[in-house]
Every structure is written in C-alpha cells, then in structure tokens.
Amino acid sequence: MAKGNHPDRKKCMEYLEAYGTPSHVIGHCKSVAAVACRLGEALNNAGGTLAGSFSSIRMKEFTREDGRTAYVQDHSFDTCRTEPRLFDIELIRASGLLHDMARVEERHWDVCADWCRDMGYPEEEQVIRVHMMYQYTNDAAHLTEAD
C-alpha cells in the first residue's frame, strides 16, 4: 500500500477481477487512471495546488435544476495554504482504476463508493461517489484530486 492507505495498481486490478468487472470496463478504468495520473503529474510539475490535503475537503450535495443530486467541493474545512502541495498520484491512480468497478450496476458510483468505504479507502470513496455528478471548481489554484 502507498502512503495514505491507497491500494496500489496491482491490488486495484485484483479488486476489479474479484468483483467481476467486465474486461472492457477494466480497460476503460485503466485508461482513465493513466490519463488522470498524467494530468496530476503535469499539475505537480507546474507547482501543485493551494487546496489543502484532500482529506480536509468535503463534498457538499445539492439539487440541480433538473432535480438530480450533484456535488461541489466544500473548502470550509480546508486549511488556508500559502505554499502549494503536490497532488496525491496514488489516490488519483486508485480512484481512476476503481471508479467504474461496479459499472454494470444501477447507481454504480454509490455502489463502488460504499465498497471503498467498507474496504477502508475513504478518500477513494469521496472521489468515486461524486464522479458522475460533480461540479468542477473554476479556481485553478484550488484543484483537488477529485477534479
């Protein structure tokens, strides 16, 4: 396991296989994780983010005009940073690999997020729970792993 108790790539692949995730969905998850990691690494090379650690950020639920539930980041618990921090690439990788593990199930994002919570991966839970109905921040200085 990497720092922050994130499952590594090998463990994520074991989870996907054990869950019975179809091979085409596993391929999609691998692609999402690869692109997300490249973006995170590029952002780290550009100086990182002023957002606090991901564990200090909460997602606020709200109802959209169409009646659907969506999420936005709540930085009210976020520590005010004057120095940037680097994105947690292991969190990004694990979330990308696992985000569609339950893709063939209704409300797959909640099913997978609940699974991550039960397995002891609360940060992955948070990223995965919001991935279908998430309002991204317009503040580039405060991007997080969920973005």
Side-chain angles (χ1 to χ4, degrees):
M1 301 253 178
K3 64 179 176 156
N5 192 35
H6 306 301
D8 63 17
R9 186 181 194 290
K10 181 180 178 192
K11 186 54 111 175
C12 288
M13 296 307 297
E14 290 172 10
Y15 288 148
L16 290 165
E17 293 289 339
Y19 197 85
T21 306
S23 61
H24 71 283
V25 175
I26 293 175
H28 162 76
C29 292
K30 287 178 177 178
S31 296
V32 166
V35 170
C37 286
R38 284 193 185 120
L39 288 170
E41 289 163 357
L43 288 165
N44 281 347
N45 289 336
T49 180
L50 291 176
S53 68
F54 188 74
S55 60
S56 72
I57 298 164
R58 302 290 179 262
M59 297 297 169
K60 269 196 316 197
E61 194 175 290
F62 69 96
T63 304
R64 298 183 339 176
E65 288 180 15
D66 64 5
R68 295 178 78 181
T69 299
Y71 302 87
V72 66
Q73 290 187 47
D74 176 0
H75 288 273
S76 63
F77 297 99
D78 192 357
T79 56
C80 183
R81 296 183 63 86
T82 56
E83 295 295 320
R85 73 166 177 89
L86 298 179
F87 287 87
D88 185 338
I89 301 302
E90 296 307 313
L91 169 60
I92 292 170
R93 178 176 292 110
S95 298
L97 285 170
L98 298 175
H99 82 283
D100 273 350
M101 181 173 67
R103 183 71 176 136
V104 297
E105 297 182 46
E106 192 172 322
R107 296 187 60 89
H108 72 278
W109 55 95
D110 283 330
V111 172
C112 188
D114 290 347
W115 182 91
C116 285
R117 180 197 60 224
D118 295 345
M119 293 297 290
Y121 303 121
E123 292 178 311
E124 287 80 356
E125 171 196 0
Q126 191 170 341
V127 172
I128 291 167
R129 189 166 313 279
V130 303
H131 90 271
M132 291 296 291
M133 293 291 171
Y134 179 65
Q135 184 171 329
Y136 297 93
T137 182
N138 289 328
D139 183 357
H142 287 88
L143 292 172
T144 70
E145 289 79 356
D147 295 300

